[in-house]
Amino acid sequence: MTLTLRNIFRLGPGEFLVGGHRGMGENFFTSQTSTSTVLAPILKATNSSITRKYSPPWRENTLSSFSAAAKTGIQFVEFDVQVNSDNIPVIFHDDMALFSESEASSANESSNFVKASLIHQLSLPEFRSLVSTSPESTASKSKKQLFRHFRDLKSKSPAGFHAWHSVSDEDALGSGGLPTLEELFQRLPLTLGFNIEVKMCNLSHAPSAPYDPSLYPRGLPWDFGRTADEEVERMLTPILKVVEQYCPEDYVIHRTTEGEGVSEEVGSTQRAVFFSSFDPEICIALRRRQSRFPVLFLSGCGIYQIPDSRCTSAQAALDFAREHNLTGLVVPSEVLLFKDNQPTEDAPPPPGRPKVNAAWLAAACQEAELELLTYGDENMDRRLTGKLDPNEPKLYGNLPGVTGAITDRADLVVAGEDYSLL
């Protein structure tokens, strides 16, 4: 038995794996207010206003968001790990923190006062202080206000530069604060699996201070060059140290000889853990440095403009995963679900869309014994799991090669409840 996602999560025949993207989902921008009765107890407990704008109930990539996802019954959470200046793995998606020292609520009020700091250049106290519930920040006299280049909740298109609030920021226990990787292992239930995405800093340059958001209407510029060996080492050594500390030794594959062959059996585990990364060098190094945890390659399959040939197409991703004996691929949901992405000679793909045949990719992964996960906006569809209405066709029902999906709406697709602010 090989080390696969189906094995470490003990999936039954036909069982679909579902994970929560950054916990309860990416934080989007919306100017609408909440009338949700589901959220009322949460808002009351945190002494928050139910009409507060721009405030998702949970800040993404925090203990509060992961804990809420676990309560939906989801099998794992996906989160982004970076390594700060203290060589401590911390949980944060964006390469750069954009903040002011005041409570300004709009870009117009604060554009002359916004500062920018790369996450890997921050010490742990500096990182913690970005959100006021963290222990270090509550002891500080200064109160920072985070900002972000958001996507719109409904259209998913760029929504501009705004202050970044969440209801969980006001949690007195600090579970809405910014955590380290070690704290996730310490404080989240053992039944909740971890998809650790190793998040490399891909900014082409650091913006000057003070930060001017008008120069970046679509967010900060990326530059996906080949990652230096020194940077791979800087990232992976502290991350693997934490993972190995909190995962028991019986996580390894136990090999037993039966006759002339060798059979493999996955040992009992306390927590299912696997790695993923958009960075090919990180995936190669993770596979080379350990064999206890599955490694999947994240690929945009040509959606993102990345010069590295390994990242430019579904075929390149497939070849790369096979060459380096990875567990599988994680690809955008739109690659598998948009009909326009399955072109014919008479109907080429629209501009900016990759030429991918979904049925071919799913079948090719099956043939190569690679597992296939998806992420993206389409995975917020109620039909993702088929649990809510057994009579409805499942979202990936015609693609048996898809092992599972990462969703921003664990509440809707797993628990069948709407926790959103709308």
Side-chain angles (χ1 to χ4, degrees), residues 21 77 86-87 94 156 201 231 246 254 271 273:
H21 186 219
V77 288
D86 298 326
N87 291 322
D94 300 357
K156 306 303 185 293
C201 180
E231 179 64 7
Y246 286 93
H254 299 293
R271 190 189 302 276
V273 174

Side-chain angles (χ1 to χ4, degrees), residues 270-336:
Q270 286 191 334
R271 190 189 302 276
V273 174
F274 66 100
F275 289 100
S276 63
S277 182
F278 279 103
D279 192 306
E281 301 305 322
I282 288 291
C283 290
I284 293 171
L286 279 169
R287 188 66 186 88
R288 184 180 65 247
R289 293 181 59 165
Q290 59 83 37
S291 60
R292 297 165 57 194
F293 311 103
V295 180
L296 284 80
F297 179 45
L298 273 157
S299 173
C301 298
I303 291 178
Y304 316 125
Q305 300 302 309
I306 301 174
D308 192 320
S309 61
R310 297 168 293 186
C311 307
T312 55
S313 69
Q315 183 67 65
L318 188 67
D319 294 341
F320 173 74
R322 285 188 295 201
E323 178 184 357
H324 295 282
N325 197 26
L326 303 183
T327 304
L329 301 176
V330 189
V331 304
S333 51
E334 65 179 276
V335 166
L336 297 178

Side-chain angles (χ1 to χ4, degrees), residues 71-367:
K71 292 175 182 177
T72 69
I74 210 157
Q75 290 137 305
F76 71 92
V77 288
E78 179 272 352
F79 50 82
D80 309 279
V81 178
Q82 304 187 53
V83 175
N84 73 348
S85 65
D86 298 326
N87 291 322
I88 297 173
V90 296
I91 313 302
F92 201 79
H93 174 270
D94 300 357
D95 294 327
M96 180 169 287
L98 305 171
F99 60 93
S100 71
E101 301 288 351
S102 68
E103 287 278 10
S105 60
S106 72
N108 291 333
E109 293 178 45
S110 61
S111 58
N112 293 327
F113 305 99
V114 174
K115 300 178 181 179
S117 294
L118 293 169
I119 298 301
H120 73 251
Q121 295 176 337
L122 296 176
S123 67
L124 186 58
E126 290 170 332
F127 174 72
R128 300 276 209 190
S129 69
L130 296 173
V131 174
S132 60
T133 58
S134 302
E136 290 89 340
S137 66
T138 54
S140 174
K141 293 182 180 180
S142 63
K143 189 173 184 180
K144 293 183 173 66
Q145 171 62 65
L146 270 176
F147 287 80
R148 190 186 218 181
H149 291 277
F150 279 94
R151 292 198 300 152
D152 183 76
L153 179 64
K154 287 190 175 294
S155 69
K156 306 303 185 293
S157 58
F161 185 74
H162 302 278
W164 188 1
H165 299 289
S166 79
V167 173
S168 64
D169 291 347
E170 300 177 17
D171 183 348
L173 297 177
S175 61
L178 304 179
T180 66
L181 178 60
E182 184 172 26
E183 287 169 338
L184 301 194
F185 277 102
Q186 291 173 338
R187 297 182 60 179
L188 292 174
L190 293 173
T191 53
L192 185 65
F194 285 176
N195 171 196
I196 301 175
E197 180 186 336
V198 180
K199 185 80 167 56
M200 305 303 293
C201 180
N202 294 307
L203 289 179
S204 59
H205 66 277
S208 59
Y211 179 76
D212 184 355
S214 66
L215 298 177
Y216 308 99
R218 299 186 65 86
L220 294 167
W222 285 0
D223 179 16
F224 286 83
R226 183 186 181 279
T227 304
D229 293 341
E230 295 79 8
E231 179 64 7
V232 173
E233 174 70 19
R234 186 191 75 84
M235 290 288 292
L236 292 189
T237 296
I239 291 173
L240 287 173
K241 180 180 179 180
V242 172
V243 174
E244 290 166 356
Q245 176 183 353
Y246 286 93
C247 290
E249 286 298 322
D250 63 0
Y251 197 94
V252 300
I253 298 176
H254 299 293
R255 297 173 180 265
T256 56
T257 302
E258 293 182 356
E260 297 181 357
V262 175
S263 66
E264 297 179 340
E265 183 177 284
V266 177
S268 61
T269 68
Q270 286 191 334
R271 190 189 302 276
V273 174
F274 66 100
F275 289 100
S276 63
S277 182
F278 279 103
D279 192 306
E281 301 305 322
I282 288 291
C283 290
I284 293 171
L286 279 169
R287 188 66 186 88
R288 184 180 65 247
R289 293 181 59 165
Q290 59 83 37
S291 60
R292 297 165 57 194
F293 311 103
V295 180
L296 284 80
F297 179 45
L298 273 157
S299 173
C301 298
I303 291 178
Y304 316 125
Q305 300 302 309
I306 301 174
D308 192 320
S309 61
R310 297 168 293 186
C311 307
T312 55
S313 69
Q315 183 67 65
L318 188 67
D319 294 341
F320 173 74
R322 285 188 295 201
E323 178 184 357
H324 295 282
N325 197 26
L326 303 183
T327 304
L329 301 176
V330 189
V331 304
S333 51
E334 65 179 276
V335 166
L336 297 178
L337 294 176
F338 278 11
K339 292 182 179 179
D340 287 342
N341 285 346
Q342 301 171 44
T344 65
E345 292 183 2
D346 298 329
R353 295 298 177 195
K355 186 175 181 179
V356 177
N357 184 293
W360 163 80
L361 179 57
C365 284
Q366 274 192 310
E367 183 179 353

